[in-house]
Amino acid sequence: MTNPTPWWRDAVIYQIYPRSWADGNGDGVGDLPGITARLPYLAELGVDAVWLSPFYVSPQADAGYDVADYRDIDPVFGSLSDADALIARAHQLGLRVIVDLVPNHTSDEHAWFQAALAAGPGSLERDRYIFRDGDGADGALPPNDWSSVFGGGAWTRIREADGRPGQWYLHLFDVKQPDLNWENPQVRSEFEDILRFWLDRGVDGFRVDVAHGLVKAKGLPDWSGPMNMLDLPDPTQRPPMWDQDGVHEIYRSWRAVLDGYNPRDAEGYDSARDRVMCAEAWVDPPERLARYVRPDEFHQAFNFDYLNAPWQADSLRATIAASLAADDAVGAPTTWVLSNHDVVRHASRLGLPVGTARPNGIGADDTQPDQELGARRARAASTIMLALPGGAYIYQGEELGLPEHTALPDEVRQDPTFARTAGAELGRDGCRIPMTWEKDSPAYGFNDTGRTWLPQPTEFADLAVDQQVGVAASSLELYRRLLTERRDRGIGGGSLTWADVDPDVLSFTIRGTTGEQTTMLANLSAASVTIPPGHEVLVDSDPDGDGTQVAPDTAVWLRRTS
Ligand code: TEU
């Protein structure tokens, strides 16, 4: 049996940040039993899959992106049997489960790193990481000038077993996240084995952390440019730690592992059983990113150019067109994303003046976003995104219109970026606030004790799920409507034709897999736009929309009446 459209080509995937979605045991940190109990909410929302940020054993130095054991669950989140129960319940509800794989680095508390420290220079144990002798007299200087993505240097010097200052190890992120050496065959086979471990437990796929970072340029040449590739003034430049050609061979071998669970050449191949991988790769230009989604590599890659595009019709149009063209050239679907656990939530980001560089957190002393404008634009932005063909990612709480916490006290900040930059970068805590379910419950329903690992702002109260369910004008009901129409009209698997209206109006028509046509029209100008004749409004991001006009910062879905 074969399906015409494999599920992952048009899936809407909901990102759960396990620390902050639902807390079953009331300790203030979310957990797997909490998630399992709340899964019916996602089935009702109408998404196809969940992606869970890491839940593995971890000292939580980077909120779980520092893994000490890839084959077990951190006690703060539960146990392996809790994971099994979660996967089984999700499947029962028709939801697929994608887990996060962190292959660029381990925790410094991983057994391999501990063994590397103990074994000494030149050992096989050290070769699984990137250890080098220092420069200068006594090796007191780092081996090169790389900086960490989180601020400060990318190298840390260790003490050898005899207590003397010794070699340096590379960490592109926190000091507690040593980079693995992907030239080492043991590293390669270990991760193929980890993939199998989770595939055998029934997961449907992997979101792969820092997929552009595993292989470093030979000789580790100096690099003084920006550490985020999307910030490069010249996008054809390639920093020595990102997007090296050698990464692709790794992903081809992983794809073979995944495909082995549903062999294409075997009788009984069913694309509904496809196991998939999505690359988190901050790579520009789109043609370079498209190399990650060639037919024998990843199924999807996050489209961060889209997330970064300013609220301007021409920028959005150009980004959408460039992404589709680059992915079409390799036969891959494009994915769309507006928010995740690393960026300021779009309901706040879009309330900043157009053209503001994407901030790394917003604090009480910073210019505050215009919340009303941000909320309005966020609804429009999601209405645009969910009309686009391909896959889409929703970050927990965006369906409620949750804003960023923009007034967190510094003492509660946990993102290592904050300390590593001495507060110059506030970091990502403001988008990781525990979810809000019920206005009048402790911690807004996150648990029943009222404890939360980060404080929830009071403005979350009125945005709680129970305040929005069944309220036609709410953000939650808008998302539900969009997801229902998207599915019913076959939009995700459809094809896009641009509709020329006005330079400040973004508009395209999707011919869905059902044959129906849906026109998306987003008004990014300062004046209202009249709905084109022969069309009626199917969904309106503006709860006050009158069916004849599209107000500024509003997006509508239209169907033909004639
Ligand atoms: O993020 C990778 C990454 O490069 C981000 O740090 C990104 O550059 C930055 O957040 C943009 O603002 C992944 C995870 O998503 C992140 O949570 C982890 O901290 C990081 O990897 C290290 O594992």
Side-chain angles (χ1 to χ4, degrees):
M1 193 185 103
T2 50
N3 279 339
T5 308
W7 67 270
W8 45 271
R9 293 191 74 93
D10 61 359
V12 177
I13 300 174
Y14 185 97
Q15 179 187 358
I16 291 180
Y17 195 66
R19 299 179 68 82
S20 296
W21 204 58
D23 176 17
N25 67 3
D27 66 355
V29 181
D31 49 41
L32 301 187
I35 294 171
T36 304
R38 292 279 191 191
L39 284 175
Y41 166 77
L42 294 182
E44 282 160 32
L45 179 60
V47 300
D48 302 293
V50 291
W51 147 36
L52 297 144
S53 280
F55 45 46
Y56 313 105
V57 175
S58 162
Q60 306 287 322
D62 182 22
Y65 283 94
D66 49 319
V67 181
D69 182 352
Y70 292 84
R71 296 184 183 79
D72 206 352
I73 307 294
D74 196 277
V76 81
F77 297 126
S79 64
L80 273 178
S81 53
D82 292 330
D84 292 341
L86 188 158
I87 295 166
R89 179 70 177 131
H91 286 167
Q92 202 180 45
L93 291 165
L95 297 166
R96 290 183 168 84
V97 179
I98 292 171
V99 296
D100 215 309
L101 187 74
V102 188
N104 180 68
H105 42 263
T106 68
S107 163
D108 64 336
E109 296 180 31
H110 190 284
W112 273 8
F113 193 73
Q114 290 302 312
L117 292 180
S123 60
L124 291 174
E125 287 82 354
R126 282 224 176 152
D127 190 57
R128 295 190 289 226
Y129 293 89
I130 304 180
F131 279 88
R132 294 286 183 277
D133 293 332
D135 269 358
D138 304 326
L141 297 171
N144 72 18
D145 68 353
W146 294 4
S147 34
S148 151
V149 175
F150 292 164
W155 294 92
T156 291
R157 193 172 196 187
I158 62 157
R159 284 199 177 272
E160 300 296 350
D162 61 8
R164 278 187 298 190
Q167 289 195 300
W168 297 70
Y169 69 90
L170 178 71
H171 52 89
L172 290 179
F173 295 90
D174 191 58
V175 62
K176 285 180 70 63
Q177 293 168 298
D179 280 53
L180 285 163
N181 171 21
W182 275 88
E183 311 293 341
N184 181 308
Q186 275 186 37
V187 171
R188 297 204 178 208
S189 59
E190 172 70 357
F191 273 85
E192 290 180 17
D193 204 60
I194 293 166
L195 290 175
R196 289 196 192 91
F197 178 87
W198 289 101
L199 291 165
D200 289 340
R201 291 200 106 83
V203 305
D204 301 285
F206 302 90
R207 174 266 188 192
V208 177
D209 193 57
V210 196
H212 56 319
L214 274 49
V215 173
K216 281 78 179 172
K218 291 254 173 305
L220 309 179
D222 280 347
W223 170 259
S224 51
M227 284 301 285
N228 188 332
M229 263 193 96
L230 270 47
D231 295 337
L232 286 177
D234 170 5
T236 60
Q237 258 183 313
R238 203 144 358 112
M241 67 293 282
W242 304 135
D243 193 31
Q244 300 298 306
D245 289 343
V247 296
H248 296 285
E249 179 189 323
I250 300 169
Y251 302 132
R252 284 189 202 109
S253 74
W254 292 8
R255 178 64 179 257
V257 171
L258 267 63
D259 286 351
Y261 282 74
N262 187 24
R264 274 196 168 265
D265 49 0
E267 234 178 281
Y269 167 78
D270 176 0
S271 62
R273 295 207 315 265
D274 280 354
R275 314 287 182 105
V276 304
M277 28 180 217
C278 177
E280 191 234 11
W282 294 76
V283 167
D284 250 348
E287 293 71 27
R288 287 293 300 187
L289 183 61
R291 290 159 54 95
Y292 289 75
V293 287
R294 289 177 289 194
D296 56 351
E297 299 191 38
F298 283 94
H299 299 74
Q300 303 182 333
F302 289 106
N303 187 343
F304 294 125
D305 277 347
Y306 184 68
L307 184 152
N308 274 335
W311 188 245
Q312 280 163 339
D314 54 354
S315 306
L316 288 167
R317 198 179 292 117
T319 307
I320 293 167
S323 312
L324 288 172
D327 289 331
D328 279 352
V330 294
T334 297
T335 63
W336 312 99
V337 62
L338 290 166
S339 281
N340 65 31
H341 66 293
D342 287 333
V343 301
V344 168
R345 285 180 172 276
H346 69 278
S348 297
R349 209 170 65 227
L350 294 171
L352 296 170
V354 173
T356 308
R358 182 166 52 79
N360 191 355
I362 298 175
D365 297 335
D366 296 324
T367 311
Q368 294 296 298
D370 177 336
Q371 289 227 27
E372 209 183 302
L373 183 66
R376 182 175 181 81
R377 288 184 172 165
R379 293 170 62 111
S382 304
T383 304
I384 299 170
M385 177 176 87
L386 291 171
L388 287 164
Y393 280 80
I394 295 176
Y395 177 49
Q396 64 174 51
E398 73 167 72
E399 75 281 14
L400 305 177
L402 292 189
E404 184 85 357
H405 195 322
T406 59
L408 275 177
D410 287 349
E411 323 71 91
V412 306
R413 294 191 186 280
Q414 306 210 9
D415 182 351
T417 310
F418 180 70
R420 289 186 64 85
T421 62
E425 302 270 346
L426 295 173
R428 303 160 291 175
D429 297 301
C431 65
R432 300 173 173 180
I433 304 299
M435 175 83 173
T436 169
W437 299 92
E438 294 138 18
K439 183 178 180 182
D440 296 317
S441 299
Y444 304 133
F446 173 61
N447 56 24
D448 52 20
T449 61
R451 291 172 65 189
T452 57
W453 71 283
L454 286 173
Q456 298 161 300
T458 49
E459 71 211 76
F460 273 25
D462 290 331
L463 296 172
V465 172
D466 71 346
Q467 301 301 296
Q468 301 201 33
V469 171
V471 177
S474 71
S475 173
L476 178 59
E477 290 300 336
L478 172 66
Y479 268 75
R480 281 187 173 174
R481 188 80 207 278
L482 292 168
L483 291 169
T484 304
E485 294 291 348
R486 182 185 151 92
R487 181 171 292 182
D488 292 351
R489 302 174 74 78
I491 288 176
S495 55
L496 177 148
T497 312
W498 292 103
D500 246 345
V501 184
D502 175 292
D504 293 327
V505 174
L506 180 76
S507 186
F508 51 77
T509 296
I510 304 292
R511 175 180 286 278
T513 47
T514 55
E516 282 157 303
Q517 296 203 25
T518 310
T519 296
M520 194 298 300
L521 188 151
N523 181 4
L524 283 81
S525 78
S528 284
V529 171
T530 305
I531 287 175
H535 289 83
E536 69 180 6
V537 175
L538 205 57
V539 192
D540 195 331
S541 74
D542 179 2
D544 300 323
D546 66 0
T548 67
Q549 299 285 312
V550 185
D553 297 313
T554 297
V556 292
W557 289 10
L558 306 171
R559 78 170 151 221
R560 284 184 177 281
T561 51
S562 52

